[in-house]
Amino acid sequence: MVKILVVVSSKEPKEGVDKGIGGWFLPELSHPWKEFTEAGAEFTLASTKGGKTWVDPSSLTADGEEGKAFLANADNQKIWENTAALADCKTEDFDGIFFVGGFATMWDYTTEDCVPTAIENFVKAGKPVAAVCHGPICFLKAKGPDGEALIKGKSVTGFSNAEEKVVGLLDVLPVHDTGKTCEDCLAAIGGKYSCVDAWGENAIQDGLIISGQNPASASKTAKLLLGAIKK
């Protein structure tokens, strides 16, 4: 059976803090969950710190039947309220890794060492790494065998600047040495960033690196990961 490690943010949404940003974006977890379960794959949910995680409150109205089914599943609730700590997950136990997005990832995917460590370990083992929407910010500090940015020269996508402007949360996002947005950061470290019009489906694979642009791209990103595992 195919085993996939799915990673979400540990940042808790709190009223009055970062405009309430926190948690994972519902369709970016529910849609891959549907793809993985229908393919007969087993998945383990992990987070940057382990333990309880939260659905991003702003995403509750951003999903359809997949989201309702995911949230209504009592077993899933147990999983997201008791996630494994990413640092404790062993690469050899999984066939691939999928980083769920959400604005919260701009905080902890960029600061927790377990994120680049996990990515580097999977790539070293020849196993695919996928991320969607803001999730591709996970590649920010990941290095290749040559010590350069892992995605340098690789085709990638992620939440676009155009989409950021529509959402209107640019003033809240943390500033990194390489920029403030997912698009700017990926391009700054040498990624060959590209995107389609705002909210269009767009997922890209370049070797072991798979990335999706936005929530609408979550299913396609998951399918690419499954395809990469089967090769």
Side-chain angles (χ1 to χ4, degrees), residues 43-194:
F43 78 90
T44 295
L45 193 62
S47 61
T48 53
K49 293 185 180 299
K52 185 176 181 178
T53 66
W54 299 263
V55 60
D56 181 338
S58 71
S59 69
L60 291 173
T61 58
D63 204 354
E65 293 305 314
E66 292 93 340
K68 292 177 182 178
F70 183 82
L71 293 174
N73 188 309
D75 290 335
N76 286 341
Q77 186 169 352
K78 293 176 184 177
I79 293 171
W80 79 63
E81 290 187 347
N82 188 30
T83 63
L86 179 57
D88 294 336
C89 297
K90 298 180 179 180
T91 308
E92 57 264 32
D93 292 338
F94 303 95
D95 300 296
I97 186 169
F98 186 100
F99 286 86
V100 174
F103 290 95
T105 63
M106 299 297 287
W107 278 263
D108 59 352
Y109 282 10
T110 60
T111 57
E112 297 290 342
D113 292 340
C114 59
V115 172
T117 297
I119 293 170
E120 291 165 8
N121 287 341
F122 270 80
V123 171
K124 185 177 181 180
K127 299 178 179 182
V129 179
V132 67
C133 201
H134 287 89
I137 200 68
C138 68
F139 296 118
L140 185 63
K141 295 182 179 178
K143 304 294 184 183
D146 58 0
E148 296 283 348
L150 178 66
I151 65 167
K152 184 177 181 180
K154 293 188 177 296
S155 297
V156 292
T157 190
F159 205 60
S160 70
N161 287 350
E163 289 164 329
E164 290 286 8
K165 290 177 182 177
V166 172
V167 175
L169 290 175
L170 275 170
D171 60 321
V172 189
L173 296 180
V175 179
H176 308 288
D177 292 340
T178 48
K180 196 171 188 180
T181 66
C182 191
E183 175 178 337
D184 289 348
C185 287
L186 296 178
I189 59 175
K192 294 168 63 178
Y193 179 89
S194 65

